[in-house]
Amino acid sequence: MTEPYLTIAHDTTNEKVIKKSRFICSIARVSSDEEAQAFISKIQTENRKATHNCFAYMIGDNDQVQRESDNGEPSGTAGIPILESLKLAKIHDVAAVVTRYFGGIKLGAGGLIRAYSNTTTEAIQQAGLIQRVKQATLQITVAYSQHDSLLYYLKENNLEVAGEEYGVNVLTTVYVNEDELATVKQALTNRFNDQLQITEGPKRFNEIPYQN
């Protein structure tokens, strides 16, 4: 079974004060390198007086694009911990920038790693997670005499109606999870004795809250 496709539910900001240094994690959904870089630039501009604006992001179904930067912190103490926090949460298409305003007390390598990691993890928790489920639309042409029966069947089987058009017959459009498509089409064909005309329409992502 494939793992669910997760991302954050909302863009958010989380702040922690550790030994007088302010760590602020800004996290957002992004779908391309360009979007991620634009988000990072925006945060850097808003926090131009900060000591550091470290970041990491992952893009793609299989996290094909991964970038991270320590932005002047000791090598491996900021960008990688931020990236690892994203990986640990198993989220995709997300960019995180952790801004640091230095408070005068050095944290050491271990302290920095924990600070950047924990600030990011808390931001992810604050943002919440959603699961993106790929769905197809099925366009079902049904005679008026069977329309009520179709609607009853769809409701009983928790199939969401996207819309209806009325003409010589009724065109009912429903959303179906892509991995259930063949099963649903066969079930509809059997239930209505092959009297429905069923075609596939555009695809979409349905987003539902996710609880681990």
Side-chain angles (χ1 to χ4, degrees):
M1 184 177 178
T2 57
E3 288 190 346
Y5 185 95
L6 304 178
T7 190
I8 56 172
H10 308 284
D11 297 356
T12 194
T13 301
N14 174 61
E15 181 173 338
K16 288 174 72 73
V17 177
I18 303 170
K19 292 186 178 178
K20 298 186 179 180
S21 280
R22 291 172 63 208
F23 291 86
I24 307 162
C25 180
S26 304
I27 191 166
R29 290 169 62 170
V30 292
S31 59
S32 66
D33 237 323
E34 292 75 19
E35 274 188 30
Q37 291 294 339
F39 172 69
I40 292 162
S41 295
K42 172 176 171 285
I43 301 302
Q44 288 172 334
T45 301
E46 290 173 355
N47 296 278
R48 59 171 63 89
K49 293 184 179 180
T51 319
H52 306 281
N53 284 290
C54 310
F55 67 81
Y57 61 88
M58 300 197 303
I59 297 167
D61 293 4
N62 299 304
D63 305 322
Q64 298 94 317
V65 179
Q66 297 185 23
R67 305 273 190 272
E68 51 84 15
S69 169
D70 294 313
N71 192 233
E73 290 281 33
S75 179
T77 62
I80 289 175
I82 298 169
L83 185 64
E84 288 301 318
S85 294
L86 301 180
K87 289 181 179 179
L88 193 63
K90 297 181 180 179
I91 53 179
H92 307 273
D93 295 337
V94 173
V97 182
V98 180
T99 301
R100 183 190 185 190
Y101 288 89
F102 183 55
I105 301 173
K106 292 186 177 181
L107 301 181
L112 287 173
I113 290 168
R114 285 190 297 275
Y116 282 101
S117 175
N118 292 343
T119 308
T120 306
T121 298
E122 288 179 13
I124 295 167
Q125 292 169 347
Q126 186 172 300
L129 298 182
I130 55 107
Q131 180 177 352
R132 299 185 79 201
V133 180
K134 197 168 189 180
Q135 293 186 319
T137 50
L138 284 186
Q139 297 172 328
I140 305 166
T141 303
V142 59
Y144 282 90
S145 60
Q146 292 189 306
H147 180 232
D148 286 347
S149 295
L150 175 64
L151 291 183
Y152 180 78
Y153 177 86
L154 296 175
K155 185 177 179 181
E156 287 292 295
N157 288 275
N158 299 311
L159 293 168
E160 180 186 351
V161 176
E164 294 194 300
E165 295 176 24
Y166 301 91
V168 177
N169 295 301
V170 183
L171 179 64
T172 301
T173 302
V174 298
Y175 292 120
V176 180
N177 292 353
E178 201 169 52
D179 58 356
E180 300 170 0
L181 203 53
T183 303
V184 170
K185 286 170 73 173
Q186 189 60 55
L188 281 165
T189 299
N190 294 344
R191 168 65 180 78
F192 292 90
N193 301 315
D194 208 14
Q195 293 178 11
L196 304 176
Q197 182 183 333
I198 303 172
T199 57
E200 287 184 38
K203 292 179 169 50
R204 72 160 191 175
F205 276 107
N206 184 32
E207 298 189 348
I208 56 177
Y210 181 80
Q211 297 293 331
N212 194 357

